[in-house]
Amino acid sequence: MSSEATVGGGAAAGPPRSRGGVSAFLRLVMIEHSVFALPFAYIAALTAMYQVDENIHWGDLLLVTVAMVGMRTFAMAANRIIDREIDARNPRTAGRELVTGAVSVRSAWTGAIVALAFYFGAAALLNPLCLALSPLAVIPMVVYPYGKRFTNFPHAILGLAQAIGPIGAWVAITGEWSWHAVVLGIAVGVWIGGFDLIFACQDVAADRAHGVKSVPARFGIPAALWGARASAVVTTGLLLWFGLLTGAGVLFWAGLLIVAVAFVYEHTLVRPHDLSRLNRAFFSVNGFIGIALFVCALADLAVRGLTV
């Protein structure tokens, strides 16, 4: 089991192309999958800006972006490195770059360390609290890939790791802790942990064969899908709470309605005995959810007075 929320899709098996290079490293970390985390960090950052002075601070927003992409890139690379032997035993992941040799372990660690340096650099440029808290975000990113070796609930560790993003983005803007951001962060963590349950269903046979732990491997695919549905309900409730806490307007509520409909659609695509549309449910629908809510939240803030 290997979460695409953190680690992206596997490439088709084939001969090694090279043992390094920027393009190979970017394929390794699936850089385009930042779409899952960035929209919610932007919602947190822009809502914080609206509450501070109703102005968009582009420099801070750029630093938030650098920090988010840097941390995610580090987490993806570390996950791939730590899981490379597990990936080699799973036919779905046997074509990944570290397995085939397209990227060497040394190159992957180099890229991970560079990404981490960008993360810490951005945190340092934002504010003292952001820098002081920044090491804490690294811990669950490293623990997660090991989680599938000692707990049936590694998805919860992934959720915790992803919950940090919106909280950190709010702290980056205000320099202060916010329980509003915690609610949004938990919503994101529950959402990503929930759809990781869906993704893990396709690896049940390989996970059981090789002793990799996950909810579907331990409790079965039907239980995992019910867990994912419950996560969608909880996520919707938490987003509703966040909207109430921050005085959201009608456009945010319209976005939340779109999210709720998307959740229903997502869970019509995957059945315990039919995972053929899993990729559509995982990649397409969840990517749409993040972008749709961000667009609606941004429009709502703009209508309420957020100034470019």
Side-chain angles (χ1 to χ4, degrees), residues 202-225:
Q202 65 185 322
D203 289 332
V204 166
D207 287 352
R208 288 173 174 170
H210 302 296
V212 179
K213 297 179 181 295
S214 72
V215 167
R218 172 62 178 84
F219 301 103
I221 292 175
L225 294 182

Side-chain angles (χ1 to χ4, degrees), residues 45 48-49 60-61 63-65 67 122-123 125-131 133 165-177:
M49 290 177 188
D60 288 345
L61 199 60
L63 289 172
V64 167
T65 304
L125 291 171
L126 281 161
N127 59 64
L129 181 60
C130 201
L131 178 60
L133 294 177
I167 300 171
W170 193 293
V171 171
I173 301 305
T174 65
E176 298 177 353
W177 185 260

Side-chain angles (χ1 to χ4, degrees), residues 113-182:
I113 292 169
V114 170
L116 195 61
F118 273 97
Y119 164 72
F120 282 124
L125 291 171
L126 281 161
N127 59 64
L129 181 60
C130 201
L131 178 60
L133 294 177
S134 60
L136 298 178
V138 180
I139 297 172
M141 302 298 180
V142 176
V143 171
Y144 165 67
Y146 289 108
K148 61 181 71 71
R149 294 161 170 82
F150 63 80
T151 176
N152 292 312
F153 304 96
H155 328 278
I157 303 174
L158 176 64
L160 173 62
Q162 299 299 322
I164 293 171
I167 300 171
W170 193 293
V171 171
I173 301 305
T174 65
E176 298 177 353
W177 185 260
S178 168
W179 291 106
H180 296 178
V182 171

Side-chain angles (χ1 to χ4, degrees), residues 5 11 14 17 23 34 41-42 45 68 71 83 96 128 134 158 173 199 214 219 221 225 237 273 278 288 308:
R17 292 180 290 275
S23 62
S34 299
Y42 288 153
M68 287 291 296
M71 173 50 70
D83 274 355
R96 287 178 172 169
S134 60
L158 176 64
I173 301 305
F199 192 84
S214 72
F219 301 103
I221 292 175
L225 294 182
H273 303 292
L278 185 146
F288 169 79
V308 175

Side-chain angles (χ1 to χ4, degrees), residues 236 250-264 288 293 296:
T236 304
V250 65
L251 292 176
F252 178 89
W253 300 122
L256 185 55
L257 178 60
I258 292 171
V259 167
V261 171
F263 276 143
V264 172
F288 169 79
L293 188 62
C296 291

Side-chain angles (χ1 to χ4, degrees), residues 1-14 30 33 79-80 83-84 86-97 99-100 144 148 196 198-207 210 212 214 275 278-279 282-283:
M1 187 277 294
S2 185
S3 166
E4 300 309 294
T6 301
V7 299
M30 297 297 286
H33 288 178
N79 193 306
R80 287 285 200 256
D83 274 355
R84 63 190 185 279
I86 291 176
D87 288 345
R89 295 193 295 266
N90 185 335
R92 183 184 65 79
T93 57
R96 287 178 172 169
E97 287 78 5
V99 179
T100 65
Y144 165 67
K148 61 181 71 71
D196 188 49
I198 298 175
F199 192 84
C201 289
Q202 65 185 322
D203 289 332
V204 166
D207 287 352
H210 302 296
V212 179
S214 72
L275 302 178
L278 185 146
N279 281 339
F282 186 89
F283 295 110

Side-chain angles (χ1 to χ4, degrees), residues 198 266-267 269-270 277-286:
I198 298 175
E266 177 182 26
H267 291 282
L269 295 175
V270 183
R277 295 182 291 178
L278 185 146
N279 281 339
R280 187 194 304 177
F282 186 89
F283 295 110
S284 301
V285 178
N286 285 302

